[in-house]
Amino acid sequence: MKREIDFDAYIRGERPKNFKTASGIEVKEFYTIEDVKDKSEIPGQYPFTRGIHRDMYRGRFWTRRQQTGYGTPEESNRRMKAVLRAGQTGLNIDVDVVVKLGLDPDHPLAFGDIGLVGTSISTFEDMEKLFDGIPLDKVSTTLIVSPPASLVIMAMYILLARKNGIPEDALMGTVMNDSFNQLVGPTKEAELPLFPIEANIKIGIDLMEYCVKRIPKWNILNVNAYNMRETCLDAKEEAAFAMCIAKEYIKRLIERGLDIDDFAGRIGFFSDIGMDFFEEIAKIRAMRRIWAKMLKEEFKVKKERSLWFRTAIQTSGLALTAKEPLNNIARATIQTLAAVLAGAQSIHTTSYDEAYALPTEEAQKLSIRIQEILAYETGITKVADPLGGSYFVEWLTDKLEEEILKLMEEVEKEGGFLECYKKGWVDERIAKGRKRYAERIEKKEDLIVGVNIFEDDEEKPPISISKVYSSTMQKSRIDYVREYKKRRDTSKVKRALESVYREAKKGSNVFFPILDAVESMATLGEICEALRRAYDFELRIG
């Protein structure tokens, strides 16, 4: 239906639909100094509410880190170089669902998902092709992959560095390695059919232990708050759950015998930024304060760096719309601005066409340009925490801190995040969040331009959409893996896989035998299968 002219709009006037934040916090007409508790916080000083550095972007901009990865390793390599050429300053590699399931492309369950939403990797040769021509000691790389596959991918990355003469202590980057967020969020349905959660966490800790001891510039964990939020949790839940998950890992790393000051500063977060501008900024400020206080008061850290809440931010994909997709450019720009004003360490600006598919190269370049314009043209980088001192932002930061802590306490009373997860408490919160999100849109309590307000049904998407799916590409990947398996020393591969199985069965750190297995030409799927056997686990999908 074509949109009609509303001749009464001016006389009727327009105003907000309600006076609550997106997570339901009631806000007043205005705020004064009387609403602000502490007026003395300084950027770069405890509790770091205003940023982890005194000079923030005056000293160094955030890293522009768009996710890339689709099709074959060669195709992903071309896109990685394209975004670096366009101005990206760090890499962010996503793998396909097949890798995340711990399978090879020739597994019966793989076909249809090979290279579809991330790059297809199965062998060390694949890793060589993926990073061909990219110096691992100069480019900071984030590997978006969770246990058990994160150990295999990281082993491939380390072996590639060794082959290129790069010592491990020169590697810079992050492995996500978060057991609670394999695919789409911390639901039992998304995780438990893939790997037992306790074993998953244990294996992830094995990799963290290796990195803590041998790769000093490598971040051992990126708590995936983004995937949780995109399941329709609100800002308070995203922040609280992320903090509770981080606590689970910290306790296990301490139990492993590691000094907290050796690893706390190498735990990062992957956060979401939605459309409620001030609430999202206040959320990140509150998370910095909560993290610093938690590490100081509860875990008694000694090093200042251990108190730094460092976060990569991706603008919300959930907020993008398939209708009138060019509107998404405005949405992504506003969210990116919020991420900058919140003090992010790296940013992925979700591309305007991602309501349909993976982004085209053109759309990714535009996302990079949005960040570059904000960095170089607007002047917002010249003052640390420019919203600091805003009565409203300071009040909202305090309010969110209070609400997040309240929810964290609730999780603790229920036995901690892992217990909440296992007994379905987290799933219930997500289900309620999804219902709430859908109802608010349907009832027009949340307004989305072009979707439930100002609709124009005659509008057609004036954009090109990326078409990644190719049965030819998928078949080529299957043929490649089968051919790879034929040209190996099978007895050597078998011995290496038995070692992985045996050490996992004993409860030893499995990363060392996984390194050996990759070097022996075992595939990602074979190594993950050895781990599944060790834990008497059978993949249950379909």
Side-chain angles (χ1 to χ4, degrees):
M1 184 177 68
K2 188 174 182 178
R3 184 179 170 188
E4 301 293 333
I5 299 174
D6 182 2
F7 291 108
D8 296 326
Y10 176 77
I11 295 172
R12 187 175 63 248
E14 295 170 297
R15 60 189 62 80
K17 185 76 175 177
N18 60 60
F19 301 104
K20 292 181 179 178
T21 68
S23 66
I25 296 172
E26 190 82 33
V27 295
K28 301 192 297 185
E29 284 180 299
F30 59 86
Y31 289 81
T32 71
I33 196 167
E34 301 301 322
D35 296 298
V36 181
K37 293 177 189 169
D38 188 346
K39 308 168 185 68
S40 61
E41 290 185 338
I42 303 291
Q45 290 184 15
Y46 182 82
F48 302 101
T49 311
R50 302 191 60 191
I52 60 173
H53 303 297
R54 184 182 178 88
D55 58 355
M56 281 305 291
Y57 304 132
R58 289 166 65 104
R60 184 186 178 94
F61 289 161
W62 64 93
T63 306
R64 297 187 289 279
R65 204 186 285 275
Q66 298 296 120
Q67 282 185 29
T68 48
Y70 70 94
T72 66
E74 294 92 334
E75 288 173 304
S76 292
N77 177 269
R78 285 193 289 275
R79 179 63 68 87
M80 287 154 62
K81 288 176 178 171
V83 294
L84 287 170
R85 200 173 293 115
Q88 184 158 300
T89 51
L91 286 173
N92 200 4
I93 314 298
D94 204 357
V95 294
D96 66 9
V97 171
V98 179
V99 174
K100 287 171 180 165
L101 295 180
L103 305 176
D104 288 330
D106 62 342
H107 192 282
L109 290 172
F111 194 78
D113 285 313
I114 301 166
L116 200 58
V117 294
T119 192
S120 171
I121 299 177
S122 181
T123 71
F124 176 68
E125 288 179 353
D126 288 336
M127 186 61 75
E128 288 182 294
K129 293 169 189 167
L130 183 66
F131 283 94
D132 181 47
I134 296 173
L136 303 188
D137 54 344
K138 292 184 178 178
V139 179
S140 166
T141 299
T142 295
L143 301 169
I144 306 172
V145 57
S146 299
S150 56
L151 283 82
V152 185
I153 295 294
M154 196 64 204
M156 292 176 179
Y157 194 82
I158 290 169
L159 290 172
L160 178 60
R162 290 180 186 172
K163 186 174 180 179
N164 292 339
I166 300 170
E168 292 178 30
D169 61 10
L171 296 176
M172 303 172 291
T174 302
V175 61
M176 183 159 280
N177 204 32
D178 181 359
S179 300
F180 290 101
N181 285 284
Q182 291 265 18
L183 293 173
V184 293
T187 65
K188 294 171 75 173
E189 186 181 352
E191 309 293 330
L192 296 187
L194 312 181
F195 211 79
I197 187 66
E198 294 275 11
N200 195 312
I201 295 170
K202 185 268 174 194
I203 289 170
I205 296 287
D206 288 350
L207 175 55
M208 294 181 207
E209 182 181 21
Y210 180 92
C211 294
V212 167
K213 293 177 176 174
R214 293 167 183 264
I215 316 181
K217 290 186 276 189
W218 194 266
N219 294 312
I220 61 173
L221 167 70
N222 216 15
V223 178
N224 192 342
Y226 183 89
N227 278 20
M228 289 193 286
R229 179 67 180 283
E230 295 283 296
T231 62
C232 299
L233 293 177
D234 65 26
K236 305 188 298 283
E237 292 168 321
E238 174 198 348
F241 290 1
M243 290 293 165
C244 292
I245 287 174
K247 283 180 74 171
E248 294 278 355
Y249 290 118
I250 289 172
K251 288 175 183 174
R252 281 167 173 73
L253 285 161
I254 292 172
E255 287 169 7
R256 188 67 71 97
L258 297 173
D259 184 331
I260 189 167
D261 277 307
D262 289 339
F263 66 81
R266 295 164 63 186
I267 294 175
F269 291 79
F270 176 40
S271 305
D272 198 30
I273 286 283
M275 283 303 292
D276 192 320
F277 188 78
F278 291 111
E279 182 169 78
E280 295 298 343
I281 293 168
K283 175 194 73 182
I284 298 297
R285 298 173 98 249
M287 290 176 84
R288 274 197 296 268
R289 186 187 290 164
I290 292 168
W291 176 257
K293 287 183 177 178
M294 183 171 82
L295 271 287
K296 183 174 184 176
E297 295 168 11
E298 185 173 343
F299 292 103
K300 313 294 183 192
V301 301
K302 298 180 180 65
K303 293 180 182 174
E304 181 178 291
R305 186 181 170 83
S306 302
L307 302 170
W308 292 358
F309 172 83
R310 297 171 306 117
T311 187
I313 287 180
Q314 180 172 349
T315 62
S316 174
L318 187 64
L320 304 185
T321 64
K323 294 180 75 173
E324 300 187 35
L326 293 180
N327 295 346
N328 295 331
I329 298 172
R331 294 187 178 101
T333 302
I334 292 164
Q335 292 171 339
T336 304
L337 175 62
V340 175
L341 295 177
Q345 276 58 62
S346 76
I347 299 176
H348 167 123
T349 298
T350 304
S351 299
Y352 68 93
D353 54 355
E354 291 192 55
Y356 284 97
L358 290 183
T360 62
E361 187 174 324
E362 177 195 40
Q364 280 200 308
K365 184 177 178 180
L366 178 59
S367 292
I368 294 167
R369 289 288 180 263
I370 288 170
Q371 293 193 39
E372 290 171 335
I373 290 167
L374 289 171
Y376 287 96
E377 297 184 19
T378 63
I380 59 173
T381 56
K382 296 178 181 176
V383 175
D385 190 31
L387 292 180
S390 154
Y391 302 139
F392 176 46
V393 171
E394 297 294 356
W395 174 84
L396 192 53
T397 301
D398 293 342
K399 183 65 179 174
L400 277 164
E401 179 190 12
E402 179 187 323
E403 295 289 328
I404 293 165
L405 287 173
K406 200 182 299 177
L407 188 50
M408 288 175 66
E409 193 178 327
E410 193 177 340
V411 172
E412 287 298 307
K413 281 180 182 170
E414 294 286 336
F417 191 85
L418 178 59
E419 282 306 307
C420 287
Y421 171 80
K422 288 196 293 190
K423 63 187 180 189
W425 185 89
V426 176
D427 282 53
E428 287 176 17
R429 296 291 297 216
I430 289 173
K432 285 178 184 172
R434 286 173 172 158
K435 185 169 182 287
R436 179 177 64 226
Y437 182 79
E439 285 179 347
R440 289 182 66 81
I441 293 173
E442 286 170 6
K443 293 176 181 175
K444 297 193 176 187
E445 292 171 1
D446 289 340
L447 299 176
I448 304 173
V449 173
V451 175
N452 63 359
I453 186 172
F454 307 130
E455 302 115 290
D456 185 350
D457 290 337
E458 290 195 345
E459 175 77 20
K460 303 296 177 191
I463 61 171
S464 300
I465 297 170
S466 176
K467 293 176 182 172
V468 172
Y469 181 82
S470 162
S471 57
T472 305
M473 178 274 290
Q474 300 209 19
K475 185 173 183 310
S476 75
R477 290 292 300 156
I478 294 169
D479 291 344
Y480 161 71
V481 170
R482 286 175 177 165
E483 181 272 332
Y484 178 89
K485 289 177 178 175
K486 286 178 184 171
R487 60 182 158 87
R488 306 175 298 181
D489 180 340
T490 51
S491 59
K492 189 177 177 184
V493 173
K494 190 176 177 184
R495 284 196 300 276
L497 291 173
E498 278 306 302
S499 175
V500 172
Y501 169 83
R502 194 169 52 250
E503 295 306 313
K505 202 77 179 169
K506 286 187 336 194
S508 308
N509 188 318
V510 294
F511 190 66
F512 294 96
I514 286 177
L515 268 171
D516 292 339
V518 172
E519 204 162 21
S520 302
M521 295 184 71
T523 65
L524 182 142
E526 291 170 333
I527 294 169
C528 291
E529 180 56 29
L531 292 169
R532 283 192 285 267
R533 281 198 300 118
Y535 288 102
D536 299 318
F537 184 77
E538 186 179 346
L539 202 58
R540 292 172 282 120
I541 297 177

